[in-house]
């Protein structure tokens, strides 16, 4: 029996976001759901092959697969912002190359990634002297630190868990991360703390860290979802943790 049907406009959210997530990432999607729950947005995900070990050699390989991963997001959908969700991968591939590879499949869509988002977050929070926490091995952390400094940030305190296994990073306790944030952020010259890596869980302790330090604290995931909403022109004020989302998103666009 063939049935009749009618068509409507489909998903009619005010903004549609496209996100390329690492195959090995177990954290980002859950934290993103928390951050966008207060906004009228539609989020679509694609996965990109990623190695279980995080090194320069494994990260650069994702550049080859990025157009394919971007192409798996629906071509018929009008995206208001897209992102590649890997801080370390962006560091090795380069923010400009990330945008170029996504634009091969979705030309003209505003593109971001955690590095560009973190720099934008620092500017919005008016902080330049930053405490920097990563889970990465030294070769990756050092490359990221150099890139952030190229963007004008001053890293005044630094620490790393020095792990190369994604499955370990996703299981690092938030208590351990909180202790590390406080240790880095308590230096008087530190104006705020950036916690890098989309696979490192932070949403449960960001506000507590800010209360202890009296300074802004943000993660790759928090900065990335904030910047995507900002690029998409979403207005309003959400309930995601931390000072970054305390501002109305429309004022952040100014």
């Amino acid at each position: 029996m063939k049935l009749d049907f009618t068509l409507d406009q489909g998903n009619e959210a005010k903004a549609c976001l496209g996100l390329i997530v690492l195959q090995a990432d177990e954290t980002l999607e859950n934290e993103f759901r928390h951050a966008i729950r207060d906004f009228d947005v539609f989020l679509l995900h694609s996965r990109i092959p990623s190695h279980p070990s995080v090194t320069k050699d494994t990260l650069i390989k994702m550049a080859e697969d990025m157009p394919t991963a971007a192409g798996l997001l629906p071509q018929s959908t009008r995206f208001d912002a897209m992102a590649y969700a890997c801080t370390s991968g962006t560091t090795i591939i380069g923010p400009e190359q990330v945008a170029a590879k996504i634009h091969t499949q979705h030309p003209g869509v505003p593109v971001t990634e955690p590095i560009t988002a973190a720099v934008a977050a620092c500017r919005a929070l008016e902080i330049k002297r930053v405490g920097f926490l990563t889970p990465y091995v030294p070769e990756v952390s050092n490359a990221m630190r150099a890139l952030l400094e190229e963007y004008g940030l001053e890293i005044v305190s630094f620490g790393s868990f020095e792990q190369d296994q994604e499955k370990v990073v996703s299981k690092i306790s938030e208590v351990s991360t909180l202790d590390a944030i406080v240790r880095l952020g308590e230096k008087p010259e530190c104006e705020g703390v950036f916690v890098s890596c989309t696979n490192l869980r932070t949403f449960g302790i960001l506000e507590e860290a800010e209360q202890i330090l009296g300074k802004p604290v943000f993660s790759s995931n928090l900065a990335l979802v904030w910047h995507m909403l900002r690029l998409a022109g979403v207005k309003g004020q959400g309930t995601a943790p931390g000072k970054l989302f305390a501002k109305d998103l429309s004022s952040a666009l100014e």
Side-chain angles (χ1 to χ4, degrees):
M1 178 174 59
K2 183 178 180 180
L3 302 175
D4 293 330
F5 60 89
T6 61
L7 299 178
D8 59 22
Q9 297 301 311
N11 292 290
E12 294 189 82
K14 292 181 179 177
C16 183
L17 310 179
L19 189 62
I20 299 174
V21 185
L22 268 60
Q23 177 184 356
D25 196 304
E26 301 178 48
T27 300
L28 180 139
E29 288 152 317
N30 187 50
E31 295 193 338
F32 259 54
R33 280 192 289 270
H34 177 88
I36 67 171
R37 62 186 179 184
D38 305 304
F39 301 102
D40 184 16
V41 298
F42 187 48
L43 179 64
L44 295 175
H45 303 203
S46 177
R47 289 270 177 169
I48 187 170
S50 61
H51 199 277
S53 179
V54 181
T55 68
K56 282 187 176 182
D57 290 339
T58 60
L59 291 168
I60 196 66
K61 290 181 180 179
M62 278 190 281
E64 300 174 7
D65 293 313
M66 200 170 302
T68 300
L72 290 173
L73 289 163
Q75 297 287 342
S76 59
T77 299
R78 180 188 62 83
F79 288 96
D80 297 284
M82 301 186 76
Y84 166 58
C86 182
T87 324
S88 53
T90 298
T91 299
I92 305 305
I93 297 168
E96 297 81 8
Q97 283 299 308
V98 167
K101 289 182 179 298
I102 292 175
H103 281 154
T104 64
Q105 303 299 315
H106 299 274
V109 177
V111 172
T112 187
E113 19 61 32
I115 293 293
T116 298
V119 173
C122 285
R123 290 172 181 162
L125 293 166
E126 299 182 338
I127 60 176
K128 186 175 181 180
R129 308 179 77 187
V130 182
F132 181 40
L133 173 63
T134 87
Y136 315 117
V137 293
E139 67 165 356
V140 176
S141 294
N142 292 340
M144 191 177 298
R145 179 172 181 168
L147 182 57
L148 292 173
E149 289 173 342
E150 285 182 22
Y151 279 102
L153 298 178
E154 182 181 352
I155 307 301
V156 296
S157 58
F158 168 76
S160 175
F161 299 125
E162 297 193 1
Q163 291 296 315
D164 71 345
Q165 295 297 308
E166 290 279 16
K167 65 182 180 180
V168 174
V169 172
S170 67
K171 292 176 175 57
I172 293 174
S173 71
E174 288 189 309
V175 172
S176 297
T177 301
L178 176 61
D179 290 343
I181 292 170
V182 172
R183 184 173 178 181
L184 296 176
E186 62 188 3
K187 293 190 176 183
E189 62 270 27
C190 177
E191 298 171 341
V193 179
F194 170 42
V195 185
S196 179
C197 186
T198 60
N199 206 13
L200 188 65
R201 291 173 292 132
T202 62
F203 270 37
I205 49 91
L206 288 176
E207 289 191 347
E208 183 178 357
E210 287 189 337
Q211 291 170 0
I212 293 170
L213 294 172
K215 303 172 184 179
V217 179
F218 65 93
S219 65
S220 289
N221 287 344
L222 190 75
L224 187 60
V225 65
W226 169 83
H227 200 223
M228 291 184 77
L229 291 168
R230 179 181 178 182
L231 291 176
V234 175
K235 298 181 180 180
Q237 189 177 52
T239 57
K243 296 180 183 297
L244 185 59
F245 266 81
K247 297 183 178 181
D248 189 296
L249 283 168
S250 59
S251 65
L253 288 164
E254 299 174 358

